[in-house]
Amino acid sequence: MKIGILTGGGDCPGLNAAMRGIVLKAADYGYEVIGIQEGWKGLIEGDSRPLTIADVDEIIGKGGTILGTSRTNPLKREDGVEIVKENFEKLGLDALVAIGGNDTLAVAAEIDKQGIKIVGIPKTMDNDLSCTDYTFGFDTSVTIAVDALERLQDTGRSHRRIMVLEVMGRDAGWVALFTGIAGGADWILIPEEPVDFEEMCQHLNQVYKRKHYALVVVSEGIKIEKETIKSLDERDEFGHPIHRERGVGQIVANEIENRTKHPTRVAVIGHIQRGGTPTLFDRMLGTRVGVKAVELIANGEFGKMACLIGNEIKAVPLTDAVAELKTVTKDWWQLAKGLFK
């Protein structure tokens, strides 16, 4: 049995741990493992490399992905799926493990229908993939964001400023929500909830009277009616707008300063959230779903995704996992809002 692995979409800590879990478990069955370079792009171009135990021995604590990644979408390319199938056969693969978020696994679900034996592993720092309680990458990204917020708290307190931290989160606000709750933010803005500047600024004025500074966490994907967006027309191959120049953190900071008259500063940590050493949780989760993926292959359970439900690693159909985005629910938002005092 020869297994291929690819990592697609945005990178995040825990990818290397998952690959290590796959390679180590594959050794128990005598399976050969091939790494596909740069996600689906590697299967389109036939770019691969062997992955042995020696290759993964020391990568559990390393961020990113040793295979590289891309946002290539074979479904958007002429004959893309056929090319993927041809290279799957040319590489002599018997099964494929696709590690990715909604986009990568949506492609996997479609390619599974075309007859390629495939299993999925959920990763995304956004934690927005359905059918799994958590995805690896999320815990590390929030841990980094909380550290940034606490540093902003120090300087905000010192200079009597309102500090705005912009974090990633295109369609789901889990990173902003958890960062804000764990870091003691005074307000949080997420894509799932309408932005009410008046309500927020009235509250921030009260907070400022009490402690002479305030903390606000903003998700990059929040909806703002009156904003100047530089590059919303620029989209990736999956049709998502690219937010690198959207600048919602600065827009929010300007609104706060104009309305409250308190000095306000913004920090954007961006891709810093994606890199670095994975936390214990992400190392463990990545390893466990990697092992589970090989077990699914050994049992002939294709078209499924390894996932975390409670504290157990289980399997669900890929089609269920990508059917809808997992967004912040009202109960989570009410929990957060109840902490704004």
Side-chain angles (χ1 to χ4, degrees):
M1 176 81 76
K2 185 185 286 188
I3 300 174
I5 307 175
L6 65 81
T7 56
D11 66 305
C12 68
L15 284 166
N16 288 325
M19 284 186 278
R20 179 175 177 272
I22 293 168
V23 172
L24 297 184
K25 188 61 180 178
D28 292 343
Y29 295 98
Y31 295 166
E32 182 181 355
V33 181
I34 301 296
I36 310 299
Q37 304 278 22
E38 299 180 36
W40 293 112
K41 179 182 178 183
L43 261 185
I44 289 175
E45 298 179 353
D47 189 6
S48 67
R49 55 172 281 198
L51 284 181
T52 66
I53 292 177
D55 294 315
V56 301
D57 254 347
E58 300 175 355
I59 66 172
I60 191 169
K62 296 184 182 300
T65 163
I66 62 170
L67 291 177
T69 186
S70 70
R71 296 189 185 276
T72 301
N73 182 0
L75 304 182
K76 294 292 184 181
R77 308 221 173 172
E78 187 176 356
D79 299 325
V81 174
E82 288 303 315
I83 294 171
V84 165
K85 290 173 67 176
E86 289 174 8
N87 284 325
F88 181 87
E89 293 175 2
K90 286 180 181 178
L91 292 171
L93 299 178
D94 299 293
L96 178 68
V97 181
I99 310 175
N102 284 280
D103 295 329
T104 300
L105 296 185
V107 173
E110 183 60 35
I111 287 178
D112 172 69
K113 296 176 186 177
Q114 305 298 321
I116 289 181
K117 294 178 178 179
I118 192 166
V119 298
I121 289 179
K123 70 86 205 166
T124 167
M125 56 161 288
D126 292 324
N127 199 42
D128 60 358
L129 218 149
S130 293
C131 298
T132 186
D133 290 345
Y134 289 97
T135 54
F136 64 78
F138 174 69
D139 187 75
T140 304
S141 70
V142 172
T143 299
I144 292 168
V146 169
D147 178 71
L149 188 63
E150 290 177 339
R151 292 169 187 268
L152 291 178
Q153 182 180 41
D154 291 340
T155 189
R157 186 190 299 114
S158 299
H159 289 274
R160 309 296 195 254
R161 290 171 175 162
I162 295 176
M163 307 301 292
V164 176
L165 176 65
E166 180 187 322
V167 298
M168 286 186 169
R170 181 181 59 228
D171 299 306
W174 294 109
V175 173
L177 186 84
F178 274 51
T179 298
I181 292 175
D186 300 297
W187 203 266
I188 303 167
L189 296 175
I190 59 176
E192 294 87 345
E193 293 294 323
V195 176
D196 188 332
F197 283 120
E198 189 63 29
E199 181 187 19
M200 176 180 67
C201 290
Q202 285 180 5
H203 175 72
L204 293 178
N205 272 327
Q206 294 302 313
V207 171
Y208 195 89
K209 286 180 182 178
R210 185 177 76 245
K211 58 184 184 181
H212 308 298
Y213 77 96
L215 300 174
V216 178
V217 179
V218 181
S219 179
E220 67 179 350
I222 61 170
K223 312 301 187 294
I224 304 177
E225 291 182 5
K226 297 177 181 178
E227 62 172 314
T228 301
I229 301 173
K230 296 181 181 178
S231 62
L232 269 191
D233 290 338
E234 187 180 359
R235 296 177 180 267
D236 63 22
E237 290 193 18
F238 291 91
H240 303 304
I242 297 173
H243 286 170
R244 61 171 170 254
E245 294 185 22
R246 193 165 184 248
V248 296
Q250 189 62 60
I251 293 169
V252 169
N254 292 343
E255 285 285 343
I256 292 172
E257 185 162 292
N258 290 337
R259 290 168 182 261
T260 67
K261 308 306 178 185
H262 300 309
T264 305
R265 299 292 185 271
V266 62
V268 183
I269 54 176
H271 288 77
I272 292 172
Q273 291 172 263
R274 289 196 179 281
T277 301
T279 58
L280 167 64
F281 183 88
D282 283 341
R283 296 184 194 207
M284 292 297 295
L285 181 54
T287 299
R288 293 177 73 193
V289 292
V291 168
K292 181 66 173 180
V294 178
E295 292 174 347
L296 291 175
I297 291 171
N299 294 330
E301 297 183 60
F302 299 106
K304 293 186 177 181
M305 179 187 82
C307 62
L308 179 68
I309 301 177
N311 195 36
E312 295 184 51
I313 303 298
K314 298 186 177 182
V316 297
L318 275 170
T319 50
D320 291 351
V322 300
E324 61 179 356
L325 205 66
K326 183 178 74 177
T327 55
V328 174
T329 53
K330 287 292 183 181
D331 57 335
W332 274 107
W333 174 241
Q334 290 304 320
L335 170 65
K337 203 169 181 182
L339 299 172
F340 301 157
K341 294 291 190 287

